[in-house]
Amino acid sequence: MEVRLKEKMALGDQVMINYARKRGEKTMMDRLAGEIIAGAKGEGACSKRRKTILTEWAEANKAFSHFRF
């Protein structure tokens, strides 16, 4: 079952804020900006987590691919 759009956005915001807090910049504004820019390039911690989660979910869902819902 797919997650609703509001829940997706809230979860994504929470993950991005958590990874931004772990960055080394001085202010939170700089940390969030750095994480957003790194995510746009595909090299931030948040985007790396997203890639690993998607591959894990894809592997887990292979077993159920023959079912039609």
Side-chain angles (χ1 to χ4, degrees):
M1 180 179 290
E2 192 170 342
V3 180
R4 285 182 274 159
L5 181 63
K6 282 188 176 183
E7 292 176 23
K8 280 184 195 179
M9 296 302 287
L11 186 62
D13 291 344
Q14 289 174 0
V15 169
M16 187 167 292
I17 289 170
N18 286 336
Y19 280 111
R21 286 183 177 147
K22 296 177 184 178
R23 291 179 66 95
E25 285 89 356
K26 192 170 184 177
T27 64
M28 189 61 180
M29 186 172 59
D30 292 337
R31 292 175 186 177
L32 276 172
E35 191 63 35
I36 291 170
I37 291 169
K41 293 178 182 177
E43 55 192 36
C46 190
S47 64
K48 287 180 185 175
R49 180 177 185 260
R50 182 178 178 273
K51 288 177 187 174
T52 58
I53 286 176
L54 289 177
T55 55
E56 288 173 3
W57 285 357
E59 288 292 323
N61 288 330
K62 274 186 182 178
F64 300 107
S65 65
H66 65 280
F67 290 118
R68 294 196 184 252
F69 293 101

